[in-house]
Amino acid sequence: MKQQWVGLLDCNNFFVSCERLFRPDLENKPVAVLSSNDGCIVARSQEIKDMEIPMGVPYFQVKDILKTNNAVVFSGNHRLYRTISKRVFATMETVQNPIEQYSVDEAFFYFFGTEEEARQQILMIKETVEKEVGVPVSVGISLSKTLAKVANEMNKKTTGLKLLDFEEWSQINLSYPLASIWGIGRNFSKRLREDGLISVSDFLAADPGRVRRLYGVVGERIRQELQGISVLSAKNRELKQSIMSSRSFGKETIALSVLEEAISYHVEQVSYDLRQAGACATKVAVFISPSRHGDFVLQSRYGERDFLAPISTTRDIGVIAIQLLRELYVTGVPYKKAGVRVSGIQPFAVQQLSLFTPVAKKIPDPLQSTIDVVNRRFKTGRIHQGFLEGARKYSAIANQQSPAYTTSWGELPVVKA
DNA sequence: TCTGGGGTCCTAGGACCC
DNA sequence: TCTGGGGTCCTAGGACCC
């Protein structure tokens, strides 16, 4: 009998697999990837997981263990990961279309067919991606997104393929912990536990009205998904809702000028991404915050401003972002992080002009387009706009980055026959 | 000494309106 | 003394995800 299936492809240990793609000698060796500033562990090979080093742990806490075990540690090389990610999904689309990309290393898909056809399909997807791109993936398929997640987890370490049907799920959910379900995090699972709900079957046995009342629409949706009713809909959005750029500084700063530089940098990033997406935005938000661990924790500031009309040029967004920053800034606070986010994103084509827009702007802006071309072409001596002075006093630390294998001619890997 | 960055969605509460 | 109720929109903040 044909039916609707929901599947999930997930790249195994994605950042590590990207590094291994260009360093096959690291196969079967412990490999970890760090966050910006070499702060935390954000990706672990299976060997690292087996050492029971958790995700997100501060690097300095496990540095010694890693060293003892001869682990290879990389600073994050996110440009590389993005290009590999694009290859994965472009390849996946040759055998499964459409797909719904969920994160840098995951995509959902919908498949209509018999159980046997679904099994063949997930095998085909896995084999195609692994052969064409070279990173290991696992594919799970079931009756809803939430159950596809469960399926995906099940055989990750073995075949990397799993079809989870209703009968099998009904058996295993008796002992399946709610806390491991996608969408149930630390706080939610604590509440559930306090209410006496531990396993999925506890939750499914509860009165639906009570679930709705106690846990809101979020709880209700999870309940349905767990029953095999797909309610987290397919949403193939053309554009993101928001685009953001933010970073912790290598060292704290109290200087407004340093923050202005940082904010200018982030404005450059988000407005460039915005233009690349063929879009403009109606809002910009600026945020600055001190360390999450010191005496100034409560001094985080956030401010948002609407534009008169949708814009995408670096200098227009920059002027407003800098104004915002000056309003938010408090003298004497040691800032550790700054960021910019644009939202109200819409395509160039369907701009809703404000009543008070003096003149419709010519979009895309010709000067801006020219600057983008120059900046894409030359790695050094790029044109900056606004407040960037060159010296990056706030720049992040990344001591162990791999080469730009895929995005810089000078760093292409060399193959020796 | 050293604790990431980029997203989405929901909710509570205030302002405002009729 | 008595002092509505319902709707919408916005914002700030929280929870969760990878």
Side-chain angles (χ1 to χ4, degrees):
Chain A
M1 198 186 66
K2 284 185 189 285
Q3 65 173 100
Q4 186 69 51
W5 299 90
V6 184
L8 173 69
L9 169 138
D10 176 290
C11 301
N12 305 342
N13 315 329
F14 184 56
F15 295 170
V16 167
S17 300
C18 290
E19 297 291 350
R20 279 176 171 165
L21 203 49
F22 296 90
R23 290 281 309 275
D25 58 301
L26 297 180
E27 219 56 58
N28 302 316
K29 297 207 175 113
V31 178
V33 177
L34 305 177
S35 68
S36 117
N37 285 317
D38 293 346
C40 299
I41 307 277
V42 291
R44 304 159 297 156
S45 69
Q46 189 55 49
E47 298 76 19
I48 302 271
K49 292 177 184 173
D50 292 343
M51 292 175 206
E52 303 199 335
I53 291 175
M55 177 73 168
V57 73
Y59 178 43
F60 71 90
Q61 288 178 6
V62 292
K63 209 167 180 171
D64 293 340
I65 313 173
L66 290 171
K67 203 161 188 173
T68 316
N69 287 280
N70 293 316
V72 178
V73 177
F74 291 95
S75 302
N77 186 347
H78 293 274
R79 259 226 273 283
L80 172 68
Y81 310 149
R82 257 200 305 278
T83 59
I84 305 299
S85 169
K86 280 185 190 155
R87 288 184 199 173
V88 167
F89 297 118
T91 305
M92 182 179 175
E93 277 177 326
T94 64
V95 289
Q96 171 62 52
N97 208 340
I99 65 173
E100 185 185 322
Q101 195 179 334
Y102 173 69
S103 71
V104 68
D105 69 338
E106 280 174 66
F108 287 104
F109 60 93
Y110 295 82
F111 179 80
F112 187 76
T114 63
E115 185 168 322
E116 188 46 40
E117 286 165 343
R119 285 185 201 283
Q120 285 166 12
Q121 181 64 7
I122 61 176
L123 176 63
M124 159 103 96
I125 293 171
K126 178 174 158 74
E127 287 185 338
T128 306
V129 171
E130 292 186 341
K131 176 163 163 281
E132 304 285 325
V133 186
V135 295
V137 302
S138 35
V139 189
I141 198 161
S142 188
L143 305 172
S144 64
K145 284 184 176 175
T146 306
L147 293 184
K149 275 271 179 191
V150 172
N152 196 284
E153 274 312 307
M154 288 175 70
N155 281 358
K156 204 163 214 171
K157 289 185 189 168
T158 56
T159 59
L161 289 169
K162 178 68 192 177
L163 181 146
L164 179 63
D165 62 18
F166 189 77
E167 287 67 36
E168 186 180 359
W169 174 235
S170 307
Q171 295 302 311
I172 61 178
N173 76 30
L174 293 173
S175 58
Y176 206 93
L178 272 176
S180 319
I181 293 295
W182 184 53
I184 299 181
R186 238 199 18 249
N187 289 274
F188 194 8
S189 68
K190 180 162 173 271
R191 278 175 60 201
L192 291 164
R193 206 167 46 242
E194 285 164 1
D195 295 338
L197 305 177
I198 311 296
S199 73
V200 169
S201 63
D202 293 339
F203 190 59
L204 291 181
D207 171 51
R210 183 163 163 261
V211 168
R212 175 63 232 245
R213 207 166 52 249
L214 288 177
Y215 313 116
V217 293
V218 176
E220 173 60 16
R221 278 206 284 257
I222 291 176
R223 196 183 64 82
Q224 299 212 44
E225 286 266 314
L226 289 174
Q227 284 182 319
I229 302 166
S230 176
V231 291
L232 294 174
S233 55
K235 41 176 183 272
N236 264 323
R237 246 199 278 274
E238 283 298 308
L239 293 171
K240 290 178 190 164
Q241 309 276 98
S242 67
I243 294 174
M244 125 171 155
S245 174
S246 72
R247 201 124 311 167
S248 301
F249 309 143
K251 201 163 163 279
E252 295 171 340
T253 183
I254 57 166
L256 179 59
S257 63
V258 174
L259 292 175
E260 285 175 342
E261 243 187 80
I263 292 299
S264 297
Y265 168 80
H266 294 306
V267 166
E268 229 176 36
Q269 300 296 309
V270 296
S271 56
Y272 182 74
D273 285 354
L274 198 52
R275 294 190 296 273
Q276 286 301 102
C280 31
T282 62
K283 282 180 192 196
V284 64
V286 166
F287 44 95
I288 49 178
S289 45
S291 162
R292 304 200 314 262
H293 308 280
D295 296 337
F296 293 86
V297 247
L298 300 177
Q299 295 287 325
S300 287
R301 291 290 175 271
Y302 163 90
E304 201 170 38
R305 189 86 86 227
D306 285 289
F307 305 135
L308 254 27
I311 54 176
S312 68
T313 46
T314 300
R315 62 182 181 282
D316 292 334
I317 297 174
V319 168
I320 297 177
I322 292 294
Q323 268 176 21
L324 266 172
L325 167 66
R326 291 179 179 160
E327 291 167 23
L328 298 172
Y329 172 77
V330 178
T331 312
V333 174
Y335 291 104
K336 177 72 174 164
K337 183 176 177 178
V340 170
R341 180 173 68 222
V342 289
S343 54
I345 295 174
Q346 49 190 272
F348 285 139
V350 295
Q351 272 181 69
Q352 184 66 50
L353 293 179
S354 144
L355 186 56
F356 303 106
T357 311
V359 185
K361 277 211 165 196
K362 193 178 173 199
I363 295 220
D365 181 89
L367 171 61
Q368 184 68 68
S369 305
T370 308
I371 292 173
D372 286 346
V373 170
V374 172
N375 280 340
R376 257 200 302 278
R377 176 115 184 243
F378 302 101
K379 202 178 174 185
T380 53
R382 302 174 52 212
I383 300 174
H384 294 300
Q385 301 167 74
F387 301 81
L388 284 172
E389 312 251 308
R392 295 279 170 76
K393 300 179 199 70
Y394 57 87
S395 62
I397 298 160
N399 291 325
Q400 311 173 62
Q401 200 169 68
S402 54
Y405 299 113
T406 56
T407 50
S408 166
W409 288 110
E411 300 177 50
L412 281 181
V414 179
V415 179
K416 293 179 184 131

